[in-house]
């Protein structure tokens, strides 16, 4: 087995603009308005969050990187510096770890599903 470095961490998606947790059909859900968050965009296979991962070698907590929402230059127009800062929060920190790897497994696409409309249209 070979050693491989991986980076682990967590992202606080509730920091995105107007994100909220709500209960729908008895399930706790995170709702993030796509139109309010220019770092989110709808692609061919789903909704994506653009991010920047920045190295932080001097972190007092041992983190090696932080993750920030990112708005590409083509979508930055018309926003003030303050608005851009609010729309690109630091979502979390990452830390490099060593992991033993036997063999790489092929990556699978997640099933595509889009929910539009009232809560009766939810996929569960």
């Amino acid at each position: 087995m070979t050693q491989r470095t991986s980076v682990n961490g967590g992202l606080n998606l509730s920091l995105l603009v107007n994100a909220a947790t709500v209960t729908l059909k008895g399930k706790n859900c995170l709702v993030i308005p796509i139109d309010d968050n220019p770092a989110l965009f709808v692609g061919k296979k789903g909704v994506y969050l653009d991010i920047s991962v920045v190295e932080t070698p001097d972190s007092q907590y041992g983190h090696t990187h932080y993750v920030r929402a990112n708005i590409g230059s083509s979508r930055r127009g018309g926003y003030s510096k303050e608005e851009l800062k609010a729309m690109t929060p630091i979502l979390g920190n990452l830390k490099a770890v060593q992991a033993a790897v036997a063999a790489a497994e092929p990556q699978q696409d997640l099933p595509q599903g889009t929910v539009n409309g009232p809560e009766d249209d939810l996929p569960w």
Side-chain angles (χ1 to χ4, degrees):
M1 263 192 244
T2 62
Q3 289 289 319
R4 178 184 246 168
T5 300
S6 105
V7 180
N8 295 341
L11 302 179
N12 184 354
L13 298 178
S14 66
L15 294 174
L16 293 172
V17 176
N18 294 326
T21 55
V22 295
T23 301
L24 297 172
K25 291 192 171 185
K27 296 191 183 260
N28 197 22
C29 301
L30 174 65
V31 177
I32 304 170
I34 296 169
D35 294 338
D36 293 349
N37 290 280
L40 292 171
F41 67 95
V42 179
K44 289 182 181 179
K45 293 187 177 184
V47 178
Y48 297 89
L49 172 63
D50 271 345
I51 61 169
S52 293
V53 178
V54 180
E55 189 173 10
T56 54
D58 299 329
S59 170
Q60 68 183 32
Y61 301 107
H63 299 123
T64 58
H65 300 79
Y66 69 83
V67 177
R68 164 173 255 138
N70 182 36
I71 299 174
S73 59
S74 64
R75 293 178 281 166
R76 287 181 182 255
Y79 295 113
S80 70
K81 228 177 194 181
E82 293 79 24
E83 289 172 320
L84 286 171
K85 186 173 181 179
M87 290 185 283
T88 57
I90 293 175
L91 300 172
N93 294 291
L94 304 173
K95 191 179 284 191
V97 295
Q98 294 291 325
V101 178
E105 295 194 21
Q107 187 175 1
Q108 298 178 4
D109 285 337
L110 296 176
Q112 184 176 357
T114 302
V115 178
N116 291 319
E119 84 176 58
D120 289 335
D121 291 340
L122 295 175
W124 62 87

